[in-house]
Amino acid sequence: MSRALLVGGAAAAMMGSLLSAQSASAAPALATPGPNKVTIEVATVNGSGCRPGSAAVAVSEDNTAFTVTYSEYLAKVGVGATPTDFRKNCQLSLIVHVPQGFTYAISSTDYRGFASLQNGAIGTQKASYYFQGSPDTASRTHTFRGPLADNWQVTNVNTWPQLVWKNCGENRNFNINTELRVNAGTSDPRTTTSIMAMDSTDGVIKSEYRFAWKTCP
């Protein structure tokens, strides 16, 4: 699947200094792009949780974030599940075009979904992202334990030293790997079903990635 998603509108002003001038190692100020557009192309989509056509990407109007919406991303174990349903994954490779003179990192991420875990069952949500060809990978794992029957949300925030920046002047795809797992644990998979979902048929449940911007030298 390949599509270009264009976002117009004027960008916001400078976000200001992150640290006081009193610090000798003060980080450079974050900034948002100029009036040009941010464009994202979905280069490739692979995985049991996101067959072609079941994942969509959109950029916010103010260029501060982009969202990924899934429609068939669900892992389950127990009654009605196949042996491979306990794990679902999705690998997205994105081409992010940004205004000249700027580069970006991901400052924070939100992941949302629904879980129905029987008493004793365990659900896991894992996500990582990195720039093509770079050894620097940001990865987080969250665990949920049954009994649980509710929407779930996790937020990962990266501090300045944790930010993984795209090198200025280089064309590198931004890769996102996500995974859902369900383990029956002490629940009885012969009589019960447990699920973890990160999908939405109405576009409400989305994964959100927030940009951090800085100017290139």
Side-chain angles (χ1 to χ4, degrees):
M1 178 179 68
S2 178
R3 67 182 68 178
L5 299 164
L6 300 181
V7 177
M14 298 293 289
M15 293 174 63
S17 178
L18 288 179
L19 299 176
S20 167
Q22 296 176 350
S23 172
S25 60
L30 298 182
T32 52
N36 295 326
K37 298 174 181 179
V38 172
T39 306
I40 295 183
E41 288 182 53
V42 181
T44 59
V45 179
N46 293 294
S48 55
C50 59
R51 67 176 182 82
S54 67
V57 180
V59 185
S60 65
E61 292 186 1
D62 59 3
N63 291 342
T64 61
F66 68 91
T67 58
V68 182
T69 306
Y70 305 96
S71 61
E72 298 180 1
Y73 205 158
L74 183 148
K76 64 179 178 179
V77 67
V79 178
T82 69
T84 60
D85 282 344
F86 78 98
R87 177 186 179 271
K88 297 293 182 178
N89 75 301
C90 182
Q91 300 176 343
L92 296 176
S93 184
L94 307 178
I95 304 172
V96 182
H97 302 281
V98 302
Q100 185 175 3
F102 290 86
T103 190
Y104 69 94
I106 300 300
S107 61
S108 66
T109 57
D110 285 338
Y111 297 96
R112 302 177 179 89
F114 177 80
S116 177
L117 301 175
Q118 300 296 323
N119 188 26
I122 301 171
T124 304
Q125 184 269 338
K126 182 178 180 180
S128 62
Y129 51 85
Y130 60 95
F131 292 103
Q132 180 183 18
S134 173
D136 298 322
T137 301
S139 180
R140 302 286 177 85
T141 301
H142 298 274
T143 301
F144 304 83
R145 298 183 182 276
L148 174 65
D150 203 351
N151 294 324
W152 59 265
Q153 176 177 339
V154 294
T155 298
N156 303 322
V157 178
N158 297 317
T159 62
W160 182 269
Q162 296 173 320
L163 294 179
V164 179
W165 295 95
K166 175 181 175 293
N167 290 336
C168 289
E170 293 186 357
N171 295 321
R172 295 177 181 266
N173 287 9
F174 182 65
N175 297 321
I176 300 172
N177 295 330
T178 56
E179 178 183 303
L180 294 177
R181 286 179 181 261
V182 182
N183 189 314
T186 59
S187 67
D188 188 351
R190 298 169 300 179
T191 60
T192 63
T193 302
S194 293
I195 68 169
M196 279 282 294
M198 192 162 61
D199 64 359
S200 174
T201 57
D202 57 8
V204 175
I205 300 176
K206 302 175 181 178
S207 300
E208 183 172 42
Y209 299 79
R210 298 184 186 87
F211 288 121
W213 295 102
K214 71 176 181 179
T215 55
C216 292

